[in-house]
Amino acid sequence: MIRENRTFAEIRPGDSAELMRTCTADDFFVFATASGNHNPLHLPEHDHDGDGVKDEPIAPAMWVGSLISAVLGNILPGPGTLYRAQDLQFLGHAQAGDDLVARVTVLEKHDDGRVRLATIVERPSDGATLVRGEALVQAPSAKLSFEDLDLPGLVVQRHRHFDTLLERARALPPLTVAVVAPEEPNSLGGALLAAEHHLITPIFVGDRTRIEAAAREIGRSITQVEIVDTSGHVAAANKAVDLIAAGRAQALMKGHLHTDDLLRAALRKDNGLRSGRRLTHVFVMDVPGLAHPLLVTDAAINITPDLTTKVDIVQNAIDLAISLGIPEPKVGILSAVETVNPAIPSSVDAALLSKMAERGQITGGIVDGPLAMDNALDLKAARTKGLTGAVAGQAEVLVVPGLDAGNMLAKQLTYISKAEGAGLVMGAKVPIIMTSRADGEKARLASCAVAAVHHARVSASRVAELAQQ
């Protein structure tokens, strides 16, 4: 878009121009960062009046007023304009989601090249005037035109999807979780943190002496937590599975032990947690700038899955996505290309999985593949390649060809795209919570929240099924 200014000679009293802008919560974070004004009144997820309820943020008044400068600098007078003075009266407040119109009208011209303009910001939805005042600017004397500047994009590192998930999970009864070998500070601290947030009620299964030593190291009391004293990680994993088989726990959580030891106990033949499906791991990623949670699978358990295993990988991910509130998950089966190439086995598997979903062998979601990474997530890239299906460019679940690709993708999202990732093992009778020592506080909480929300939906479905019998 070419922007052309109005020179001082071209401007006439009565000339007017306006721009519309939609308020977003991210605008308020950007303003807080740029201005240094961190007043919580203007930021989401804060209790502004101290009543214990989080309130909708109010747009910073100076941010609303700054919309006037966009009209002056872009349209009237336009490029080359310099501010000399601005007075503002703040008459109302805006909130995220409001459409605002900033308008300027020329009042008079001075002989020295200055122009005085009436300035106003209104909310068209109710006709409210939010800001009124006058601006004095130095109008450009030379004709200028610019192609609209390609400014660097800004991504606010906010994890709104996990915030919503945590709120949803806190409304549920705490999930009783058998935590296996929380014998060092990270694993113990993560379980205690989730308990403090009323997401879980932990039962610690492991060496009591080591668990108590870890608690002392982080300065925490665990006197209110049940400890099942068990020596050795293999024994602890089996004892935790016994607790689930006896109905004393509703989920399993990995502590400071090898994943193989935990899953071997879960998959034992006698009173194990087998459900008839393969165990598969799902990362739930909250990626800043992405409008929905992104599920990545399998990035932790199945190294080179065959087609049969991939069916379970896809179905488990769909089931979890539904629990997270995605009614009909869009599943993109990833490959290096978006066309079937017999020389690339992942592209063949992707096409077969897509057809199996079409025939009802995979249910609950929309499955399409093969898709390359770009046209799975970017609608413009998908349309450029001529892909018009419901999944292309809009995938909510990404199924990777193998563990290598999945692990790299998940870590790229975490360390480059600043995503937070929750981990859950699916395919067992109960959720298995998997966290990493490198996980931050929000990721640990989110993993427990994902387990709680999924358990609640599955339990409700089982009750409904029994009622119909």
Side-chain angles (χ1 to χ4, degrees), residues 26 158 160-161 164 285-294 326 377 395-396:
D26 281 355
R158 186 158 66 99
R160 68 189 77 188
H161 305 306
T164 300
M285 311 296 294
D286 189 339
V287 186
L290 199 60
H292 54 78
L294 184 67
I326 303 173
L377 289 179
E396 296 152 329

Side-chain angles (χ1 to χ4, degrees), residues 278 302-313 349 353 401-402:
R278 283 291 193 101
N302 294 283
I303 299 174
T304 53
D306 58 16
L307 181 64
T308 301
T309 302
K310 286 182 179 180
V311 171
D312 285 348
I313 288 173
D349 283 354
L353 290 167

Side-chain angles (χ1 to χ4, degrees), residues 188-233:
L188 180 67
L192 292 174
L193 182 68
E196 288 174 0
H197 283 75
H198 308 290
L199 299 174
I200 69 170
T201 299
I203 301 174
F204 295 152
V205 186
D207 188 301
R208 178 185 291 273
T209 301
R210 292 180 178 177
I211 294 171
E212 290 175 344
R216 287 193 297 273
E217 187 174 340
I218 60 176
R220 303 294 297 276
S221 171
I222 56 173
T223 56
Q224 301 301 313
V225 180
E226 179 182 355
I227 300 177
V228 179
D229 190 10
T230 311
S231 180
H233 290 170

Side-chain angles (χ1 to χ4, degrees), residues 105-405:
T105 303
V106 176
L107 297 177
E108 63 175 336
K109 298 169 64 177
H110 297 275
D111 293 339
D112 59 2
R114 293 179 299 166
V115 177
R116 186 168 66 92
L117 305 98
T119 58
I120 191 169
V121 180
E122 297 175 319
R123 182 171 50 222
S125 62
D126 60 1
T129 297
L130 306 183
V131 179
R132 179 185 291 125
E134 288 189 2
L136 186 65
V137 302
Q138 190 74 39
S141 57
K143 195 69 176 173
L144 297 172
S145 63
F146 290 93
E147 188 168 349
D148 209 5
L149 299 178
D150 184 15
L151 298 177
L154 297 177
V155 176
V156 176
Q157 292 181 26
R158 186 158 66 99
H159 300 101
R160 68 189 77 188
H161 305 306
F162 277 3
D163 291 338
T164 300
L165 175 65
L166 289 169
E167 287 297 317
R168 183 178 166 195
R170 288 189 188 106
L172 300 170
L175 190 65
T176 303
V177 177
V179 186
V180 186
E183 298 167 354
E184 54 80 48
N186 283 323
S187 56
L188 180 67
L192 292 174
L193 182 68
E196 288 174 0
H197 283 75
H198 308 290
L199 299 174
I200 69 170
T201 299
I203 301 174
F204 295 152
V205 186
D207 188 301
R208 178 185 291 273
T209 301
R210 292 180 178 177
I211 294 171
E212 290 175 344
R216 287 193 297 273
E217 187 174 340
I218 60 176
R220 303 294 297 276
S221 171
I222 56 173
T223 56
Q224 301 301 313
V225 180
E226 179 182 355
I227 300 177
V228 179
D229 190 10
T230 311
S231 180
H233 290 170
V234 172
N238 279 290
K239 186 61 179 178
V241 173
D242 289 340
L243 293 177
I244 293 171
R248 293 200 53 216
Q250 302 162 307
L252 200 61
M253 185 173 182
K254 180 180 179 289
H256 188 57
L257 78 164
H258 290 298
T259 300
D260 288 349
D261 289 337
L262 182 72
L263 298 185
R264 194 175 294 114
L267 291 172
R268 71 190 190 190
K269 292 183 178 179
D270 295 330
N271 289 324
L273 304 180
R274 294 173 184 266
S275 70
R277 285 191 202 159
R278 283 291 193 101
L279 295 191
T280 68
H281 183 271
V282 183
F283 273 119
V284 181
M285 311 296 294
D286 189 339
V287 186
L290 199 60
H292 54 78
L294 184 67
L295 281 64
V296 177
T297 187
D298 181 340
I301 294 179
N302 294 283
I303 299 174
T304 53
D306 58 16
L307 181 64
T308 301
T309 302
K310 286 182 179 180
V311 171
D312 285 348
I313 288 173
V314 174
Q315 190 64 67
N316 285 341
I318 289 173
D319 291 349
L320 182 58
I322 291 171
S323 294
L324 297 178
I326 303 173
E328 191 176 35
K330 302 179 185 70
V331 182
I333 314 296
L334 295 184
S335 184
V337 293
E338 65 279 347
T339 56
V340 177
N341 184 338
I344 304 177
S346 61
S347 73
V348 178
D349 283 354
L352 291 171
L353 290 167
S354 179
K355 179 56 72 174
M356 291 173 79
E358 187 180 309
R359 297 287 175 87
Q361 293 171 271
I362 298 171
T363 61
I366 307 171
V367 181
D368 194 11
L371 293 173
M373 185 68 183
D374 57 348
N375 47 57
L377 289 179
D378 187 272
L379 199 55
K380 182 179 179 181
R383 297 301 179 255
T384 299
K385 294 290 184 69
L387 303 175
T388 58
V391 177
Q394 306 175 80
E396 296 152 329
V397 178
L398 298 179
V399 178
V400 297
L403 185 145
D404 276 352

